[in-house]
Amino acid sequence: MSGGAAGPQPGLEPPAEARGRDSRDHRGPQASARSRELILSRIRAAVAGAPDVEITRAYRTSSDLAGVVELFAERVADYRAVVHVADPGEVAGVITSALERRAVTRVVVPDGLPAEWAAGVEAARVAEAVRSGSGAGAVRSVRDEPALSAAELDAVDGVITGCAVGIAETGTIVLDAGAAQGRRALTLVPDYHLCVVRVGQIVAGVPEAVARLDPVRPLTWISGPSATSDIELNRVEGVHGPRTLEVVIVR
């Protein structure tokens, strides 16, 4: 066993700026901010006056689109999402059937949802009214105006949205809070998300998707239902978002 207290090793002495501080200064967010600024200031000093270097980025920005829709459907299904492929005239019927199958009674409908998709929600309401004989449909469209609280979002059965981009290689759907998508909370709190993706929104890979997206918008990247395997690799769904994702691909 070596004896004596170990002193600072050559080259590892604390910087002059840090010497003399009370040890308590090295804890907490303020200390982290000071350390970060110290490191950045040293980097700036080291590169001051250095010429700019052009960085070549040879990212792939286009791909063969043959079979991209089939690949997207396959990859989305791999994430345990429910996938439908429908012609434009069939979308409302697919939406109605999906809502009926899950016995959805309150579904959030964001602004800008195409009329033909909203018709699917309305058809489910009418079908439920006829079935129950009550004259009033059980399915109710819920608008996010004024903005629904977290508790109100938690009380609905699901949400129906469009998307900004679908990525075939990763089976990922990206939302950017645009028309027919609503704000991010609408697709994070309800336990069921029905998403309609047009074929023209599907790209082969991530570079093509990034090229289509506006980086200043709030982007939500969705790869299947919310799931985590952080604890002992046991998959648990619905922890951080919808437990069920259903996707309608419109040809």
Side-chain angles (χ1 to χ4, degrees):
M1 182 178 79
S2 61
Q9 299 180 33
L12 295 180
E13 294 86 353
E17 298 88 334
R19 286 197 293 270
R21 284 194 197 131
D22 189 279
S23 60
R24 290 172 295 181
D25 291 344
H26 297 279
R27 298 181 298 212
Q30 292 183 344
S32 297
R34 283 195 297 269
S35 298
R36 181 173 59 249
E37 184 53 37
L38 175 61
I39 293 170
L40 291 175
S41 66
R42 288 180 173 178
I43 294 174
R44 294 188 191 102
V47 301
D52 292 335
V53 177
E54 183 178 352
I55 301 175
T56 302
R57 302 186 188 279
Y59 300 140
R60 186 188 66 200
T61 55
S62 63
S63 300
D64 182 4
L65 295 178
V68 72
V69 175
E70 292 75 13
L71 178 61
F72 176 72
E74 176 186 329
R75 294 290 165 83
V76 172
D78 281 345
Y79 285 116
R80 302 187 187 181
V82 180
V83 180
H84 310 273
V85 181
D87 291 326
E90 300 172 334
V91 175
V94 173
I95 292 172
T96 300
S97 298
L99 298 179
E100 291 179 339
R101 188 167 49 252
R102 289 192 54 84
V104 169
T105 60
R106 288 166 53 83
V107 58
V108 177
V109 176
D111 290 342
L113 198 75
E116 60 269 29
W117 303 354
V121 179
E122 175 64 15
R125 187 189 68 79
V126 173
E128 176 60 24
V130 172
R131 185 166 42 249
S132 65
S134 64
V139 179
R140 178 185 168 196
S141 298
V142 180
R143 312 297 299 196
D144 189 37
E145 181 61 43
L148 299 167
S149 67
E152 290 170 327
L153 283 173
D154 190 45
V156 303
D157 296 312
V159 59
I160 175 173
T161 74
C163 73
V165 176
I167 306 172
E169 287 182 344
T170 62
T172 302
I173 297 167
V174 186
L175 278 61
D176 67 357
Q181 300 166 56
R183 58 194 173 100
R184 176 177 286 172
L186 301 189
T187 56
L188 293 180
V189 180
D191 200 39
Y192 170 64
H193 182 190
L194 177 58
C195 185
V196 182
V197 183
R198 292 189 172 98
V199 164
Q201 295 175 306
I202 301 175
V203 297
V206 172
E208 294 96 326
V210 171
R212 288 194 181 194
L213 296 168
D214 183 346
V216 303
R217 296 188 66 85
L219 303 178
T220 303
W221 297 62
I222 301 169
S223 296
S226 168
T228 179
S229 299
D230 289 347
I231 302 177
E232 298 183 351
L233 298 180
N234 292 321
R235 180 181 172 94
V236 179
E237 297 179 341
V239 176
H240 308 300
R243 198 188 318 260
T244 301
L245 173 66
E246 194 156 359
V247 178
V248 181
I249 302 171
V250 186
R251 285 190 285 251

